[in-house]
Amino acid sequence: DTSPVVAPTEHDIEGCAVLPRSSFEEGKGWVIVEGRQVIAPYGADIDAQDEVRLEPGGYLWEVDGEPGDYEDKKARGKATMFYLKRRSS
């Protein structure tokens, strides 16, 4: 196949919340770890192989793992959630 390789296009995902990535460790409480957690609108166009720029012209982050859809227990709120890590290169 001689089809040209096309670079993926950038697109904006509006309405995201970006939080420091944290974990809870027994005896230590909440511990901030390197990376970010993103809560995006439900069904956001994001994949595990994507890179994310949090602000125009800003640093590129890698998606860490598979994004997942979340629905609260009362089915009132839906979101797509994923983690970011610093780009390796």
Side-chain angles (χ1 to χ4, degrees):
D1 184 35
T2 59
S3 300
V5 175
V6 178
T9 59
E10 287 192 16
H11 64 277
D12 293 334
I13 300 176
E14 301 289 334
C16 295
V18 180
L19 308 166
R21 191 168 172 184
S22 61
S23 65
F24 188 80
E25 297 181 20
E26 194 66 39
K28 293 184 180 180
W30 287 101
V31 177
I32 302 300
V33 295
E34 186 173 339
R36 302 289 183 266
Q37 177 180 9
V38 179
I39 303 169
Y42 182 76
D45 182 11
I46 190 79
D47 293 312
Q49 298 78 26
D50 288 344
E51 292 179 328
V52 173
R53 193 179 313 273
L54 297 175
E55 64 273 336
Y59 186 80
L60 279 174
W61 298 79
E62 294 178 351
V63 174
D64 187 11
E66 287 289 332
D69 292 327
Y70 166 82
E71 183 174 337
D72 72 14
K73 292 179 182 180
K74 296 183 181 179
R76 290 185 300 202
K78 292 183 177 183
T80 296
M81 296 173 54
F82 56 95
Y83 293 108
L84 299 176
K85 64 181 178 182
R86 289 205 177 267
R87 193 169 163 200
S88 57
S89 59

